[in-house]
Amino acid sequence: MGNTNCVCVGCVEQSSVGVVEKWGRFRNLAFPGLHFFNPCAGEYLAGFLSLRVQSLDVRIETKTKDNVFVKLVCSIQYRVIQQNADDAFYELQNPEEQIRAYVFDVVRAHVPRMTLDGLFEQKGDVAKAVLEELEKVMGAYGYSIEHILMVDIIPDDHVRKAMNDINAAQRLQLANVYKGEAEKVLQVKKAEAEAEAKYLSGVGIAKQRQAITDGLRENILNFSNKVEGASAKEVMDLIMVTQYFDTIKDLGNSSKNTTVFLPHGPGHVRDISDQIRNGMLEASSSGVCQ
């Protein structure tokens, strides 16, 4: 009989590497492409490893220095080192569990030394510590740690509510301070405006009274010069009576006025009547009323 060669063909996909064994012992790595194996010589393709970057999310629950329980979500991005793919294939049976165990160990060693606020501020330091530890350990098994991301820090619900209440109270306190300052400025401006208005009103009243005084003086002088025998007092009484009647007339003509002049006692009505009658009589005797 002639010799018969039994040949087996295998294909390794892109971004992957194959592990070739001979009689159960590692022989070499098979890179992407078509490969031929001789089963009669004990050669066969034992398995494949992906060279792509893989992501593993690890959730850790631990306690901070100020006794607050928190949950951390850590994302580890890793890949197989192509040159050391045989170590990755043979050394670790479950690399994800190995990575998860080291992450737990490092995080629970660092976080209890930090307060909750410090953890939020320094989560990058925790991620850096995890990266350094994993690079040192997993590198010996043929794995490269690409990135460590501290995705989330989740305190207990009651703690989160308390933190939100504290933040809301601080913001409310700050808002009240600004509101008080605004009201203070408004009151100051209002007081300044009132003072300025009163000052201008006083100036206007003073000028009005000065104009009235000048007008009365001019009227009295003109009247005294034109009417012989009329004293300044008589002229002043006549002018006051005239102004009184003009005021009453204006109040009667306007339907929107709500001001009514009343004497303080019953006897004052007669006093006002006598004053008006006496003024009219004095004016008639002096020849003013024609």
Side-chain angles (χ1 to χ4, degrees), residues 211-279:
I212 293 173
T213 302
D214 294 341
L216 291 174
R217 183 175 64 250
E218 184 177 354
N219 290 335
I220 292 172
L221 292 176
N222 292 335
F223 199 88
S224 299
N225 292 332
K226 292 181 180 180
V227 180
E228 296 181 359
S231 64
K233 183 178 182 305
E234 293 172 345
V235 176
M236 177 61 73
D237 291 340
L238 180 61
I239 293 174
M240 294 300 295
V241 171
T242 304
Q243 288 184 344
Y244 176 80
F245 278 109
D246 290 340
T247 302
I248 297 299
K249 181 180 178 181
D250 292 338
L251 290 175
N253 291 334
S254 178
S255 61
K256 295 183 179 181
N257 285 332
T258 59
T259 303
V260 179
F261 291 96
L262 293 176
H264 297 286
H268 288 84
V269 177
R270 185 177 61 186
D271 294 340
I272 294 174
S273 300
D274 293 341
Q275 292 174 9
I276 295 174
R277 184 175 62 255
N278 293 334

Side-chain angles (χ1 to χ4, degrees), residues 6 10 12 54 58 71 76 102 110 147 152 155 190 211 245 256:
C6 184
V12 180
Q54 302 181 60
V58 181
K71 293 181 181 178
I76 296 92
Y102 279 107
H110 281 76
H147 297 287
D152 200 3
K190 184 178 179 181
F245 278 109
K256 295 183 179 181

Side-chain angles (χ1 to χ4, degrees), residues 74-119:
C74 188
S75 179
I76 296 92
Q77 297 177 358
Y78 66 98
R79 69 189 307 167
V80 174
I81 302 174
Q82 182 173 334
Q83 295 78 5
N84 301 329
D86 54 330
D87 293 331
F89 187 81
Y90 290 104
E91 295 292 336
L92 291 179
Q93 183 177 1
N94 193 335
E96 292 186 355
E97 287 299 324
Q98 188 78 4
I99 293 174
R100 186 176 284 109
Y102 279 107
V103 172
F104 269 78
D105 182 66
V106 176
V107 170
R108 288 180 173 173
H110 281 76
V111 173
R113 293 182 291 180
M114 308 168 68
T115 63
L116 181 61
D117 293 336
L119 176 60

